[in-house]
Amino acid sequence: MSSIPVAPPPPDQYQPAPRAVLRSPVGLAKAVSILLAVVIVTDMFAVWAGYRSLDVLNRLVSDFGFVTSQEIDSADLRYRLAGIVQSAALIATCVVFLVWFHRARVNAEVFAPEYHEKKRGWTFWGWICPVANLWFPRRIALDIWNASAVENRRGAALLNWWWALWLMTEFIGWAAGRQYARAETPEEIQRALGSMLFTDALDIVAAILAILFVRRLTQMQHEKALCGPSAPPFVPNLPAF
């Protein structure tokens, strides 16, 4: 009598994706924090340059003000320079942040693969796809946060505040940029500069919260890795962030 083949048992419902390897996020987190600090410095420079430009405009529209062409050119040059350094710092920060974000996502998948609603690719595409970028990154970050948290320590208030400030900065900055691009008269430029100043100040707060978020999540993953046995440890003697 021939034997009847037996089907293999079904795989576990929550298996991590192939090649999910636990790797230290500490170095990348430090790099992101440094770059975010640079973003804060460039924002502060933009606030100062915007304030000086606003002062020139206030005197220009005043009945008793006197402004030389050299002051106008200097103010315009400072503000343009501020925009350039802000953009350069933001681009560099975004690149390194996305690398850190992807690594944190893979680590979290090793810790608790059942927590993740989105695939790894969304750690990049979720930021650039229209409409989806309003909530996909926050959803991924929350999944990473929950998977990385030690039991009974899953409060994500810091994440929520950072994400709320980030969205506010993006929306208000977009509106202020359009207002500034359309401004023609000194009065219109004056109002647009005021909006840009508010955006830069808001971005400073958002960057500070981003630093706190990156540091906290990195520390959580460090602690989770050393807790075992649910996850293999990082490299031995890994320094705390």
Side-chain angles (χ1 to χ4, degrees):
M1 181 177 180
S2 60
S3 60
I4 300 175
V6 179
D12 188 4
Q13 183 180 1
Y14 298 120
Q15 287 293 329
R19 295 184 295 178
V21 179
L22 200 63
R23 299 176 63 190
S24 170
V26 173
L28 285 171
K30 289 181 178 179
V32 173
S33 297
I34 291 171
L35 287 170
L36 283 168
V38 173
V39 169
I40 292 172
V41 172
T42 61
D43 285 339
M44 293 175 65
F45 175 61
V47 169
W48 173 78
Y51 177 79
R52 294 294 300 272
S53 297
L54 195 59
D55 177 66
V56 170
L57 282 170
N58 288 338
R59 288 188 286 124
L60 187 64
V61 300
S62 174
D63 294 336
F64 303 100
F66 176 76
V67 180
T68 65
S69 59
Q70 184 178 2
E71 287 181 297
I72 295 175
D73 292 340
S74 296
D76 183 65
L77 179 62
R78 280 193 302 267
Y79 204 62
R80 289 178 183 273
L81 178 61
I84 292 172
V85 296
Q86 274 184 304
S87 298
L90 183 60
I91 291 172
T93 303
C94 287
V95 171
V96 181
F97 178 88
L98 287 175
V99 176
W100 168 84
F101 195 57
H102 182 268
R103 179 168 297 185
R105 166 64 175 79
V106 174
N107 286 345
E109 187 175 331
V110 176
F111 292 145
E114 70 273 17
Y115 277 86
H116 307 286
E117 295 183 1
K118 312 299 179 187
K119 294 185 180 295
R120 294 181 202 170
W122 285 110
T123 57
F124 171 72
W125 295 110
W127 293 90
I128 63 176
C129 290
V131 182
N133 59 8
L134 298 179
W135 77 87
F136 269 39
R138 189 261 176 192
R139 177 69 259 177
I140 296 170
L142 183 60
D143 290 342
I144 297 171
W145 186 281
N146 289 334
S148 304
V150 179
E151 196 66 27
N152 300 325
R153 291 178 57 187
R154 291 179 181 170
L158 177 59
L159 164 61
N160 293 330
W161 276 107
W162 162 64
W163 186 247
L165 263 293
W166 164 261
L167 288 182
M168 288 177 61
T169 302
E170 289 299 301
F171 280 117
I172 297 175
W174 174 81
R178 288 178 60 87
Q179 183 183 10
Y180 186 79
R182 294 176 176 179
E184 297 180 355
T185 66
E187 291 81 4
E188 290 175 341
I189 299 174
Q190 187 180 34
R191 289 191 293 270
L193 270 176
S195 300
M196 297 290 286
L197 277 171
F198 178 73
T199 301
D200 291 331
L202 194 64
D203 193 58
I204 292 173
V205 180
I208 292 172
L209 290 178
I211 292 175
L212 296 176
F213 164 69
V214 169
R215 290 175 63 89
R216 181 64 190 126
L217 182 54
T218 300
Q219 185 65 30
M220 287 165 59
Q221 292 205 337
H222 174 76
E223 294 174 356
K224 184 85 168 184
L226 297 181
C227 279
S230 59
F234 285 134
V235 178
N237 299 322
L238 180 68
F241 182 70

